[in-house]
Structures are given as structure tokens and as C-alpha cells.
């Protein structure tokens, strides 16, 4: 196993700022992986015995690098890595070019490879965190102040706003992709479609944005006047306006 700063893929493209954790074989990867954390869409939590071609990821904690905690986000289909092309090198390189402009989002650090083929990402590991979905379930049936509703909703909107204003259309907007970490919100899932700014993707972005707002509203028993035909700026303005009206009402 080698850890290198800089990655050249099998197409001759160079990515100087990407960390490449490279494995020579599947068995070496299996021997190295640390604590299993979570996975999606399938019950089997051992990729070494998983069979078939299905979606999802495995998340494994890896040893600290420079006293930082990271995890391997390994694709469920990685055993077909010679036949599947993941474009994480281009994605991460693009995201890192925006990092100096976006302070409240931690982008993936690098790629995990076998024989130089990308099979996953290196991401930050947030300890003592919970998904928005888990948080909302924990407060279900409890009387929650309206202030907490606006605080949560605006934290989600502010993180999406910082991405949106820098040409990143984060598409995969759902309550399990947002973590509450020491009072702030973190995104944990970046895929290639997140940076596609075509017209159709913007519509999809707005559709999913409305979905998570309505989802949060339901748990807080709040009304929603957001429409999927609104622009992001209109949605953001509506929520800010509602918060300002609430603050005037209580002061």
C-alpha cells in the first residue's frame, strides 16, 4: 500500500492535489481496512463476501493521517473495478479548486485505487455526529421551539448556498447525507452529478431541495410555501423572511 500526493490515472491525466492511497491487490486492501462504520442499500456488511452488481457504498475508518481522522468510502461495485469507470479524480480535483472559496464544506481528500483504478474516496470522518434524519426522529413528538426549526433549515440552506454560488449543484439532497457535527452541518456524499450545472440538473436540484424542506417541516409541524418552480434565491429569501417575521413576533 502506498500513500502519495498526486495521482496519474491510466488515461495519462495528472491530478497534483489528490491524495492517492494505492493498493496492489484486492487482498491487500482487505487486510488493511480498519473498523467498519456503515453501508447503504444492502444488509451485507462484508464486501469480501458480497456478490452481485448493486449500488451502495461501504464506509471504513482508516488510520489517522497527520492527526486527522479519515474514512475510506469504498464503492459496493468495486470488485468490478476493471470494468467500471469512476470519475472521482476529476470530481475531487474540481472540488478542491473551489475549497478556498467554500469554508464550511470539507471536500473529499483523495482517491482509493487498486492497480491504479479508482474504487473509492478518502473522506473526513466526523465523530460524535448524527444525520438530520436521526436527529429529527429523536425529537419526534417533542415540543420544539420554532427557533430550532429555522436554525436547522438555514444551516442546510447556507451550506447549499455556498456550493450553489460556486457552480456546485449538490443533487443528492436527503436527510441521511447531512450530518449535525457540534452544531454545524456537514455534507458527507459527493458524486459526479453534484457538479453538473445543466438545466435539467438545476431542476432536479430544486426538486430535491423542496423535498428536504418539506421533510424538515413535517417533523417540526410547520407549513411549507416553497414551490419546486421557485429559484434557489427565491427559496432562500422566503425562509429568511419567515425567520425575520418570527423574530419580530417574539421580540
Amino acid at each position: 500500500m502506498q500513500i502519495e500526493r498526486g495521482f496519474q490515472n491510466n488515461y495519462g491525466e495528472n491530478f497534483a492535489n489528490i491524495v492517492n492511497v494505492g493498493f496492489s491487490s484486492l487482498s491487500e486492501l482487505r487486510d488493511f481496512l480498519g473498523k467498519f462504520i456503515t453501508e447503504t442499500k444492502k444488509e451485507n456488511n462484508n464486501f469480501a463476501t458480497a456478490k452481485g452488481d448493486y449500488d451502495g457504498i461501504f464506509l471504513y475508518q482508516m488510520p489517522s493521517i497527520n492527526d486527522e481522522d479519515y474514512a475510506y468510502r469504498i464503492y459496493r461495485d468495486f470488485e468490478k473495478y476493471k470494468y467500471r469507470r469512476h470519475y472521482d479524480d476529476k470530481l475531487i480535483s474540481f472540488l478542491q479548486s473551489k475549497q478556498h472559496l467554500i469554508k464550511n464544506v470539507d471536500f473529499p481528500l483523495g482517491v482509493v485505487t487498486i492497480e491504479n483504478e479508482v474504487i473509492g474516496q478518502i473522506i473526513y470522518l466526523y465523530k460524535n455526529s448524527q444525520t438530520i434524519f436521526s436527529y429529527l426522529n429523536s425529537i419526534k413528538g417533542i415540543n420544539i421551539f420554532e427557533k430550532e426549526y429555522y436554525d436547522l433549515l438555514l444551516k442546510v440552506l447556507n451550506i447549499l448556498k455556498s456550493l450553489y454560488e460556486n457552480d456546485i449543484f449538490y443533487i443528492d439532497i436527503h436527510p441521511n447525507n447531512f450530518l449535525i457535527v457540534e452544531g454545524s452541518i456537514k455534507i458527507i456524499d459527493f458524486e459526479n452529478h453534484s457538479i453538473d450545472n445543466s438545466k435539467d440538473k438545476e431542476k432536479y436540484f430544486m426538486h430535491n431541495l423542496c423535498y428536504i424542506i418539506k421533510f424538515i417541516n413535517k417533523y417540526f409541524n410547520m407549513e411549507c410555501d416553497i414551490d419546486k418552480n421557485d429559484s434557489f434565491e427565491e427559496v432562500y429569501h422566503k425562509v429568511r423572511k419567515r425567520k425575520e417575521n418570527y423574530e419580530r413576533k417574539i421580540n
Side-chain angles (χ1 to χ4, degrees):
M1 185 268 290
Q2 289 184 317
I3 301 177
E4 298 176 317
R5 171 70 66 174
F7 174 60
Q8 183 181 62
N9 64 25
N10 289 333
Y11 301 89
E13 299 167 307
N14 289 292
F15 303 90
N17 293 323
I18 291 178
V19 174
N20 174 28
V21 179
F23 295 90
S24 62
S25 66
L26 182 58
S27 61
E28 185 184 17
L29 172 68
R30 286 173 171 158
D31 292 341
F32 180 83
L33 286 180
K35 179 184 175 185
F36 171 79
I37 304 171
T38 187
E39 54 102 17
T40 63
K41 296 188 180 180
K42 293 289 177 179
E43 292 181 1
N44 187 337
N45 67 1
N46 183 0
F47 74 77
T49 60
K51 303 296 181 184
D53 181 16
Y54 21 65
D55 294 332
I57 60 167
F58 291 96
L59 194 63
Y60 282 84
Q61 185 174 349
M62 64 179 281
S64 296
I65 300 176
N66 298 327
D67 296 323
E68 296 278 359
D69 288 310
Y70 296 101
Y72 285 157
R73 183 176 181 269
I74 304 293
Y75 294 114
R76 188 89 196 217
D77 63 3
F78 81 98
E79 291 201 76
K80 297 178 178 289
Y81 63 87
K82 290 184 178 178
Y83 312 103
R84 301 287 293 256
R85 174 80 173 108
H86 295 294
Y87 293 92
D88 293 59
D89 41 20
K90 293 181 180 179
L91 167 71
I92 296 170
S93 181
F94 173 82
L95 293 174
Q96 289 185 349
S97 73
K98 301 283 187 176
Q99 188 70 78
H100 69 289
L101 301 171
I102 305 171
K103 302 302 183 184
N104 61 341
V105 181
D106 297 319
F107 294 128
L109 178 73
V111 294
V112 182
T113 64
I114 294 179
E115 298 175 359
N116 218 49
E117 293 287 348
V118 175
I119 62 164
Q121 299 177 354
I122 308 170
I123 64 172
Y124 285 89
L125 174 64
Y126 302 111
K127 297 181 177 178
N128 304 317
S129 62
Q130 63 180 146
T131 65
I132 285 180
F133 180 75
S134 174
Y135 166 72
L136 291 175
N137 273 301
S138 72
I139 65 170
K140 196 172 183 180
I142 301 174
N143 289 328
I144 300 296
F145 290 110
E146 210 168 324
K147 177 182 181 302
E148 293 175 341
Y149 160 76
Y150 287 116
D151 284 348
L152 177 62
L153 191 55
L154 279 169
K155 282 177 181 176
V156 171
L157 288 178
N158 281 331
I159 200 170
L160 291 172
K161 183 172 183 284
S162 67
L163 296 173
Y164 180 87
E165 290 177 344
N166 286 280
D167 303 318
I168 301 171
F169 286 70
Y170 185 77
I171 303 298
D172 207 5
I173 303 172
H174 64 76
N176 279 325
N177 273 352
F178 291 83
L179 293 184
I180 300 174
V181 184
E182 297 179 351
S184 48
I185 299 292
K186 298 290 186 180
I187 291 178
I188 58 171
D189 188 356
F190 280 95
E191 295 182 0
N192 290 292
H193 59 213
S194 298
I195 62 174
D196 187 335
N197 61 356
S198 67
K199 201 167 189 180
D200 288 341
K201 292 289 183 172
E202 181 160 10
K203 287 182 181 178
Y204 191 33
F205 168 80
M206 292 307 303
H207 174 83
N208 288 352
L209 177 65
C210 289
Y211 159 73
I212 197 170
I213 291 175
K214 290 177 181 178
F215 188 92
I216 293 172
N217 284 352
K218 179 182 72 172
Y219 277 84
F220 281 94
N221 196 28
M222 298 290 290
E223 294 296 325
C224 179
D225 59 352
I226 305 300
D227 188 276
K228 65 182 179 182
N229 293 318
D230 289 341
S231 67
F232 180 83
E233 290 81 4
E234 288 170 328
V235 169
Y236 190 80
H237 176 73
K238 283 182 180 180
V239 175
R240 294 286 303 182
K241 191 74 173 174
R242 286 168 62 182
K243 182 184 181 184
E244 290 169 4
N245 290 339
Y246 163 73
E247 290 174 339
R248 276 197 294 270
K249 182 175 69 175
I250 63 173
N251 290 329

